[in-house]
């Protein structure tokens, strides 16, 4: 069982390690490896931004094995993102769906996301949860969901 909790400073190194795994990093919009210092700088900005919300999934030992969140934009839309799941952890399998549902409920409507067009697994997940493709820009597919 995975426990979904708001991101705290104690999670940032575990989140960085998860995010830097090649199989996860390769699917992210910003796919460069990040250093501990870059992660600390990012977290400092994250803490000061009331429109940015991130949750992590913790396994029974308290390790970060998943994450997802949203950022509210000035137009009132929520941009869903940073969905990451460590598929090597058996209890984390399927928690991407749980995190997506959790974040959609927290964000409210409407929600959009940007995803690499070759990330078929993620696109299938988003389709199953009411997202529809509305266009492509900068090499990324934009999908929107008006109902959480």
């Amino acid at each position: 069982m995975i426990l979904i909790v708001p991101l705290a400073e104690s999670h940032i190194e575990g989140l960085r390690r998860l995010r830097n795994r090649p199989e996860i990093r390769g699917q992210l919009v910003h796919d460069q490896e990040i250093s501990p210092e870059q992660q600390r700088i990012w977290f400092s900005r994250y803490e000061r931004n009331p429109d940015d919300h991130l949750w992590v999934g913790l396994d029974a030992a308290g390790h970060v094995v998943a994450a997802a969140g949203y950022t509210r934009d000035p137009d009132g839309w929520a941009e869903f993102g940073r969905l990451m799941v460590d598929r090597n952890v058996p209890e984390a399998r399927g928690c991407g769906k749980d995190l997506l549902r959790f974040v959609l409920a927290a964000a409210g409507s409407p929600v959009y996301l940007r995803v690499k067009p070759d990330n078929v697994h993620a696109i299938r997940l988003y389709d199953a949860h009411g997202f529809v493709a509305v266009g492509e820009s900068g090499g990324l597919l934009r999908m929107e969901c008006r109902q959480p």
Side-chain angles (χ1 to χ4, degrees):
M1 172 137 195
I2 300 300
L3 178 65
I4 299 172
V5 299
L7 178 67
E9 188 169 5
S10 61
H11 304 132
I12 65 171
E13 179 56 22
L15 178 62
R16 185 187 73 83
R17 283 195 304 268
L18 176 66
R19 187 234 177 266
N20 277 346
R21 292 179 64 136
E23 68 274 16
I24 291 175
R25 193 177 75 235
Q27 296 302 322
L28 298 175
V29 172
H30 303 287
D31 59 2
Q32 308 85 353
E33 189 166 325
I34 57 173
S35 70
E37 180 62 20
Q38 289 170 310
Q39 184 77 349
R40 283 190 294 278
I41 291 167
W42 168 84
F43 183 73
S44 176
R45 281 188 299 229
Y46 166 81
E47 282 189 306
R48 292 190 308 269
N49 184 352
D51 294 322
D52 203 359
H53 307 275
L54 188 69
W55 291 268
V56 293
L58 305 176
D59 66 9
H63 299 118
V64 175
V65 297
Y70 75 90
T71 301
R72 181 80 52 205
D73 72 19
D75 296 326
W77 282 76
E79 180 180 11
F80 175 82
R82 300 178 286 217
L83 178 60
M84 300 175 270
V85 177
D86 185 344
R87 294 187 192 171
N88 296 318
V89 176
E91 58 266 52
R93 292 192 184 127
C95 81
K97 293 175 194 165
D98 296 336
L99 272 165
L100 177 57
R101 288 184 197 120
F102 181 91
V103 173
L104 286 175
S109 186
V111 179
Y112 74 95
L113 59 85
R114 295 173 299 148
V115 62
K116 290 182 176 180
D118 64 349
N119 191 345
V120 177
H121 181 77
I123 292 169
R124 263 190 259 134
L125 174 67
Y126 302 142
D127 280 338
H129 287 83
F131 282 87
V132 294
V134 296
E136 196 170 323
S137 176
L140 298 173
L141 181 64
R142 180 180 169 114
M143 301 181 79
E144 295 178 357
C145 179
R146 295 191 181 265
Q147 297 180 10

